[in-house]
């Protein structure tokens, strides 16, 4: 998330996307999404939150499913590719925070901070899209493949009776060992 719209490229303004709540119980609305990039590294779906003073990044969003790892030490943190060991991004430690300098960002497309959808909203979109599994539902959001779908992370928090019933197997007919026919017709 960022509070500076000028940091974002391909900014897309949206209404009623969500609300971010901070430690001092201050609520700020998410106004839209864009991406932060330089030649080598891109962070997609960066939320523009009016009123936020610092840029915030979700470490799990930067590493889960991307093949990257994050190492923290007393001086700062390093985000690198697990296989090639190529350093993608470094950050310095300032007090208790690890700050990322957006100008030095370098690597591959990532998702940054998707707010989690409520259980009701997740179930609604699951049903609207013919009981699509949540992995593919999130892929639709990340790749921006469906117009009108909210930019949120959908989780399978609730029970879907239709999906459970579809996965049930019925027992077959019993094998007939003795024939019950004793005469023709």
């Amino acid at each position: 998330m960022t509070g500076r719209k000028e940091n974002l490229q391909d900014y897309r303004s949206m209404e009623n996307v969500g609300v971010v709540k901070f430690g001092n119980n201050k609520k700020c609305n998410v106004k839209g999404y864009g991406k932060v990039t330089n030649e080598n590294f891109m962070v997609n779906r960066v939320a523009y939150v009016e009123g936020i003073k610092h840029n915030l990044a979700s470490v799990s969003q930067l590493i889960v499913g991307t093949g990257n790892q994050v190492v923290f030490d007393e001086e700062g943190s390093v985000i690198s590719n697990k296989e090639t060991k190529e350093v993608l991004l470094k950050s310095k430690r300032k007090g208790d925070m690890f700050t990322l300098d957006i100008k030095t960002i370098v690597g591959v497309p990532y998702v940054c901070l998707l707010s989690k959808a409520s259980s009701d909203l997740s179930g609604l979109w699951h049903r609207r899209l013919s009981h699509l599994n949540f992995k593919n539902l999130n892929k639709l959001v990340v790749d921006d493949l469906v117009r009108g779908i909210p930019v949120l992370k959908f989780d399978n928090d609730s029970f879907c009776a239709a999906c459970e019933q579809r996965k049930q197997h019925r027992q077959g007919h019993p094998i007939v060992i003795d024939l019950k026919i004793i005469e023709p017709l």
Side-chain angles (χ1 to χ4, degrees):
M1 310 185 251
T2 185
R4 302 184 69 189
K5 196 188 300 187
E6 60 270 13
N7 288 343
L8 301 174
Q9 294 178 357
D10 297 334
Y11 176 72
R12 206 169 65 180
S13 180
M14 302 173 112
E15 292 184 25
N16 300 325
V17 175
V19 176
V20 177
K21 188 175 178 182
F22 297 101
N24 58 1
N25 288 331
K26 181 181 176 186
K27 293 182 182 180
C28 294
N29 291 324
V30 176
K31 299 289 186 176
Y33 290 90
K35 63 182 175 182
V36 176
T37 184
N38 69 4
E39 296 141 19
N40 303 324
F41 185 82
M42 183 186 311
V43 182
N44 289 322
R45 303 255 188 247
V46 177
Y48 169 60
V49 180
E50 197 172 48
I52 188 173
K53 294 180 183 177
H54 302 285
N55 299 323
L56 300 174
S58 169
V59 175
S60 65
Q61 291 289 340
L62 292 174
I63 61 173
V64 173
T66 63
N68 295 332
Q69 64 183 4
V70 178
V71 178
F72 293 95
D73 61 20
E74 292 177 358
E75 296 176 12
S77 67
V78 176
I79 300 173
S80 60
N81 186 300
K82 281 185 185 177
E83 294 176 10
T84 64
K85 304 298 181 196
E86 175 189 4
V87 174
L88 302 173
L89 185 62
K90 289 184 177 183
S91 69
K92 293 184 178 182
R93 181 177 172 199
K94 292 182 181 176
D96 291 336
M97 297 196 46
F98 295 86
T99 59
L100 295 176
D101 185 7
I102 291 179
K103 295 173 188 164
T104 63
I105 292 184
V106 245
V108 196
Y110 297 99
V111 176
C112 182
L113 187 70
L114 284 180
S115 302
K116 185 177 175 186
S118 68
S119 181
D120 294 340
L121 192 60
S122 291
L124 175 68
W125 280 99
H126 168 72
R127 289 188 307 275
R128 278 184 180 171
L129 296 171
S130 302
H131 296 273
L132 183 65
N133 66 47
F134 287 89
K135 178 183 172 189
N136 289 337
L137 185 59
N138 286 318
K139 187 171 174 64
L140 293 177
V141 172
V142 169
D143 295 339
D144 200 21
L145 298 174
V146 176
R147 276 184 290 211
I149 193 167
V151 184
L152 298 169
K153 181 176 182 188
F154 296 101
D155 284 332
N156 188 9
D157 293 337
S158 60
F159 174 76
C160 179
C163 289
E164 285 295 319
Q165 190 173 20
R166 181 184 68 207
K167 292 176 183 175
Q168 287 182 350
H169 296 283
R170 296 179 186 219
Q171 285 193 353
H173 295 286
I175 298 174
V176 178
I177 296 174
D178 294 330
L179 293 175
K180 296 181 181 178
I181 302 171
I182 52 172
E183 61 184 60
L185 301 175

